[in-house]
Amino acid sequence: MRIAVFGANGPTGRHLTEQALATGHQVVAVTRRPGSIAERPGLTVAIADATDPAAVDAAIGGTDAVLSALGARFSKQPITTYSASATAITEAMHRHGVKRLLTVSSSIADPDWRPSGAHFFNHVVDPLVNRRLGRTLHEDMRRMEAVIRRTELDWTLVRPSGLFEHPVVTGYHTAETSADGVFTARADLAASMLRELEERWYVRTAMGVITTDVKPNIAKLIWNEGVKKK
């Protein structure tokens, strides 16, 4: 299958690209940063801002499916990256007759998501980090989901929990709407998306993904995902 990966040079996009190539897919790695990804057998690079309709249209032409791992940083200012890119991508898919779309969202998009047995997370981390510091980001994620839900595409909204780095795919669990857990390794997120691309268990619904076999060091996760990125 020939797939377009948006955000291919991002943390999750890199896992997606490498795993897709390893399983025999042809990948169009879409990035807005020239020179950030080198072409090689099975991998072509398309330079495009995901919010630019013309550039997105050119990147999607000739593909069989689109996987979006686009991301943005927390900001006090309004964020539009998710919803604007979703509009450009879905409109281009309609023009080219590409039906299958998997887009990374977040468990936070489910208003009822409260992982069991996670008192500190539910009552301290989630209200402070996700609902306050990440408010504008998650508001735009919800707008993105609404844009996608209005289409006639075969879409899947992929909702991980707290993302962390782990070098290899481990045990993970998926569930409709959201999954009952606090953390998701990016390698597992990528693997779940590629599996869903083939197996189509969650077409036109949301798929929660959590890692079950390993847990991150919390202090290291906060440093890498919050402080170090700024």
Side-chain angles (χ1 to χ4, degrees):
M1 189 179 296
R2 184 174 174 83
I3 62 175
V5 176
F6 282 81
N9 65 331
T12 300
R14 289 193 290 270
H15 285 285
L16 267 176
T17 298
E18 293 302 324
Q19 290 185 28
L21 291 170
T23 53
H25 294 292
Q26 293 184 318
V27 177
V28 178
V30 187
T31 176
R32 60 185 176 88
R33 298 176 182 173
S36 61
I37 303 174
E39 294 193 351
R40 60 185 192 268
L43 175 66
T44 58
V45 178
I47 306 302
D49 183 324
T51 64
D52 180 342
V56 169
D57 188 89
I60 286 176
T63 62
D64 303 302
V66 175
L67 278 61
S68 176
L70 293 166
R73 295 179 180 180
F74 286 179
S75 173
K76 294 180 180 179
Q77 303 303 315
I79 292 173
T80 60
T81 301
Y82 296 99
S83 55
S85 63
T87 300
I89 289 169
T90 56
E91 289 179 352
M93 291 178 69
H94 280 299
R95 287 192 293 272
H96 288 283
V98 181
K99 293 286 290 182
R100 191 69 172 109
L101 171 65
L102 291 95
T103 301
V104 175
S105 180
S106 171
S107 296
I108 302 300
D110 174 10
D112 298 321
W113 178 68
R114 293 292 185 277
S116 59
H119 181 84
F120 181 75
F121 176 85
N122 289 332
H123 296 281
V124 179
V125 177
D126 186 48
L128 175 62
V129 177
N130 293 324
R131 314 288 171 172
R132 182 175 299 179
L133 297 178
R135 180 180 59 81
T136 59
L137 184 148
H138 293 117
E139 285 175 347
D140 196 43
M141 275 190 172
R142 295 185 186 96
R143 289 192 292 269
M144 173 192 73
E145 289 200 354
V147 168
I148 292 171
R149 287 180 184 277
R150 289 194 293 267
T151 72
E152 297 180 357
L153 300 173
D154 293 338
W155 49 264
T156 302
L157 302 170
V158 185
R159 291 173 169 173
S161 296
L163 289 168
F164 69 99
E165 281 298 331
H166 192 72
V168 297
V169 178
T170 70
Y172 63 86
H173 172 70
T174 62
E176 188 170 349
T177 306
S178 58
D180 186 10
V182 177
F183 302 111
T184 308
R186 289 190 174 93
D188 293 341
L189 172 59
S192 73
M193 292 176 73
L194 291 168
R195 187 180 74 176
E196 172 58 20
L197 178 65
E198 301 289 344
E199 297 184 349
R200 298 174 62 87
W201 291 344
Y202 300 96
V203 175
R204 297 186 65 80
T205 190
M207 176 181 78
V209 186
I210 57 165
T211 291
T212 56
D213 284 6
V214 296
K215 293 183 179 180
N217 177 288
I218 302 301
K220 186 176 180 180
L221 177 116
I222 293 172
W223 172 260
N224 288 336
E225 302 299 325
V227 179
K228 189 177 179 181
K229 279 187 176 181
K230 294 186 182 299

